[in-house]
Amino acid sequence: NTLRAKGSQHRSYMFEPAQKEMPYRLYVPGTWDGKAQLPLILFLHGGGSDENAYMDRNDKQLEKLAEQHGYIVVAPLGYTPIGSYGTPMTLRGSFGDPAGQAEDRRRATPARLEEVDLSEKDTLAVLERTIAEYGVDPKQVYLAGHSMGAGGGWYLAGKFPGRFKAIGLLSGPLIEEIVTPITSLKGVPIDYSEGTQAPSYAASRKMFEAAQKAGVDMRYREFDASHGGMIPLALPGVFDFFDSVRKKN
């Protein structure tokens, strides 16, 4: 791929900590003049998926929204399809299932924790190289993700306060005892959406109540849809939310 290219791009780079070539997906609006500092969205895919799936699904809705709203979107693999971006939870744990969370703790073997650490490192490396290549203002970096990607989003936003201007997460509630205390998200505007037919629905309701009690700046939206079916319904609102945060500052 050409340096500072526009449009939809399949990229890869040498990931030194693992000595592996790692893929990532990138979209840069065709309207970009090569000089303006565009805002950037780091998008984290769901468990068992990859860097391409969410860019391509629903007739490339994510890329179309990026073009329409003027955002660069970068989607890492996160080292493996189930790397989870730094937090050692599995799919069951991310859905707020206590048995699943106990299983997550049992599965946190040294090999799994190494995979999780490399997943976080790959995610941040992809973000940093995109910021550097396109001259993105570090104060205009946003975070979005679905399912396991939402779990990774809670974790990264909590671990790196001030790193992300706002976060927009879909159908993957925050499990405090595994991921991060909800109070660590104070100060970051959050848009969280859920499907009423998703297995995580009850946990998401509880999480939103906890966020309100903790004074976290969270907007919560529900859609009459499944875990996967809510994605195309929620995504336009994520971009609108990021636009509104940008206008305020």
Side-chain angles (χ1 to χ4, degrees), residues 8-244:
S8 186
Q9 304 169 57
H10 293 262
R11 294 283 195 98
S12 67
Y13 76 107
M14 176 48 69
F15 179 46
E16 294 296 341
Q19 284 297 296
K20 279 186 184 175
E21 192 79 9
M22 296 303 300
Y24 64 100
R25 184 73 171 267
L26 180 65
Y27 187 83
V28 178
T31 50
W32 185 51
D33 64 4
K35 298 171 195 163
Q37 282 190 306
L38 296 184
L40 180 147
I41 298 171
L42 173 68
F43 192 92
L44 308 180
H45 68 75
S49 198
D50 65 18
E51 73 283 358
N52 296 310
Y54 288 72
M55 291 292 221
D56 290 334
R57 73 193 300 170
N58 301 314
D59 195 25
K60 298 189 186 290
Q61 180 193 28
L62 189 52
E63 293 190 340
K64 287 175 179 172
L65 286 165
E67 181 70 38
Q68 181 188 334
H69 289 261
Y71 288 77
I72 295 169
V73 176
V74 65
L77 173 61
Y79 189 61
T80 72
I82 198 78
S84 69
Y85 315 105
T87 173
M89 65 180 178
T90 61
L91 289 174
R92 285 184 69 199
S94 72
F95 287 156
D97 170 17
Q101 288 163 34
E103 188 180 309
D104 286 348
R105 293 187 193 94
R106 285 196 301 275
R107 285 185 178 181
T109 61
R112 171 62 180 157
L113 292 175
E114 183 186 10
E115 177 187 47
V116 162
D117 180 57
L118 289 169
S119 182
E120 179 180 336
K121 286 186 165 78
D122 174 37
T123 300
L124 295 175
V126 165
L127 175 62
E128 290 308 319
R129 64 188 292 115
T130 308
I131 288 171
E133 180 178 343
Y134 287 91
V136 172
D137 179 353
K139 293 177 182 159
Q140 289 296 329
V141 176
Y142 300 80
L143 175 61
H146 173 253
S147 194
M148 182 187 77
W154 297 123
Y155 167 76
L156 291 171
K159 183 172 181 179
F160 301 105
R163 185 73 175 270
F164 303 102
K165 183 87 171 174
I167 60 177
L169 304 177
L170 289 68
S171 199
L174 166 61
I175 311 303
E176 280 197 283
E177 59 269 30
I178 293 177
V179 182
T180 191
I182 205 159
T183 49
S184 68
L185 297 164
K186 274 187 166 184
V188 58
I190 300 164
D191 175 72
Y192 181 65
S193 46
E194 182 57 284
T196 56
Q197 299 156 38
S200 47
Y201 177 59
S204 289
R205 274 277 176 105
K206 282 183 198 164
M207 182 204 69
F208 177 55
E209 286 169 17
Q212 286 182 303
K213 281 179 191 163
V216 173
D217 179 11
M218 185 186 296
R219 177 178 83 159
Y220 176 60
R221 301 181 292 141
E222 288 182 355
F223 297 92
D224 183 16
S226 65
H227 180 56
M230 59 80 66
I231 300 166
L233 305 175
L235 268 182
V238 172
F239 279 82
D240 290 339
F241 181 73
F242 290 166
D243 284 349
S244 71

